[in-house]
Amino acid sequence: GENVEQHPSTLSVQEGDSAVIKCTYSDSASNYFPWYKQELGKRPQLIIDIRSNVGEKKDQRIAVTLNKTAKHFSLHITETQPEDSAVYFCAARVHGSSNTGKLIFGQGTTLQVKP
Amino acid sequence: GAGVSQSPSNKVTEKGKDVELRCDPISGHTALYWYRQRLGQGLEFLIYFQGNSAPDKSGLPSDRFSAERTGESVSTLTIQRTQQEDSAVYLCASSSPGTTNFGPGTRLLVL
């Protein structure tokens, strides 16, 4: 069945360093890959997403890359700050009608940015 | 505009009782999803609505779980004869092409 694997499960970096989180997906028909940030006790918030027709997307300190051939995508955070500390989830949308198929999530990465 | 809302925000129930969780999606969002998140875990897909129909209910853990949606709006998730392992945060999300927005979740505790 559909599956998304996410690594690492925990990541600790020094403030100012970069952080990279990687995900692989199983369904080759997946066409949309969002990343969510979830702070403790709060709902997941979309931070960046990428569609299958592009290989990279950047938004200030955050970038996402997609390799469709290898079926993996990554989140890159540069110049990390303590407020980046949270749990990050990748997801892949299983192809559905009207571009609204279900999202399958990775297991999450707990990012800790040390001041 | 208003985001996705859920009620109740917290629910404590006794094992064996039934519970009903409610989700109000963003107006105009035809797709609606229910996810379960156990403490410290990822988001587990439960069911997906497109309009009022559920083309994918493959994530419902057992026949104690059911969901419905009416008027392409409100959805309710019902858990019958609750068990302690049902304790989790139940998240609802609604979607339009291009974005998926989550509600704040219902924190369910089964004693």
Side-chain angles (χ1 to χ4, degrees):
Chain A
E2 308 106 350
N3 189 43
V4 176
E5 296 286 336
Q6 182 172 347
H7 300 282
S9 57
T10 59
L11 180 59
S12 181
V13 300
Q14 209 63 40
E15 182 178 0
D17 288 350
S18 295
V20 180
I21 303 170
K22 299 181 179 182
C23 290
T24 59
Y25 59 97
S26 61
D27 187 347
S28 57
S30 297
N31 55 12
Y32 173 67
F33 308 90
W35 286 86
Y36 286 82
K37 176 183 181 182
Q38 187 176 32
E39 296 175 337
L40 190 63
K42 297 190 176 180
R43 76 187 79 186
Q45 298 278 4
L46 178 71
I47 55 170
I48 196 169
D49 56 14
I50 191 168
R51 299 182 190 282
S52 57
N53 57 346
V54 298
E56 184 173 0
K57 182 176 178 181
K58 190 173 182 179
D59 182 4
Q60 298 182 9
R61 297 187 296 108
I62 296 173
V64 59
T65 59
L66 171 65
N67 183 327
K68 283 192 67 180
T69 303
K71 292 192 285 187
H72 66 69
F73 56 113
S74 302
L75 177 72
H76 304 252
I77 306 174
T78 58
E79 300 171 30
T80 53
Q81 301 167 3
E83 51 265 38
D84 294 332
S85 297
V87 180
Y88 291 80
F89 292 97
C90 64
R93 183 172 63 201
V94 175
H95 184 70
S97 62
S98 303
N99 294 319
T100 52
K102 68 186 181 187
L103 289 174
I104 300 297
F105 284 82
Q107 287 303 299
T109 296
T110 301
L111 174 64
Q112 180 186 29
V113 180
K114 299 177 183 176
Chain B
V4 180
S5 61
Q6 292 186 244
S7 61
S9 53
N10 291 280
K11 176 72 177 177
V12 181
T13 190
E14 293 179 348
K15 177 181 172 182
K17 295 285 179 68
D18 297 351
V19 296
E20 189 173 276
L21 313 179
R22 177 187 170 109
C23 172
D24 285 87
I26 292 173
S27 178
H29 281 194
T30 58
L32 185 149
Y33 311 82
W34 284 98
Y35 288 86
R36 178 169 70 178
Q37 188 174 31
R38 292 197 167 104
L39 188 64
Q41 302 295 311
L43 286 81
E44 177 188 4
F45 169 78
L46 298 179
I47 188 169
Y48 153 53
F49 287 93
Q50 182 63 38
N52 292 340
S53 65
D56 193 336
K57 51 180 77 171
S58 61
L60 294 177
S62 74
D63 59 8
R64 296 188 295 105
F65 288 71
S66 62
E68 63 176 22
R69 188 181 186 195
T70 55
E72 295 196 352
S73 181
V74 172
S75 175
T76 55
L77 176 69
T78 301
I79 308 173
Q80 296 178 307
R81 305 180 303 280
T82 51
Q83 303 294 312
Q84 288 180 331
E85 62 262 28
D86 298 335
S87 297
V89 175
Y90 289 82
L91 289 159
C92 172
S94 71
S95 202
S96 66
T99 189
T100 299
N101 300 92
F102 281 89
T106 293
R107 193 174 302 274
L108 174 66
L109 178 61
V110 181
L111 301 177

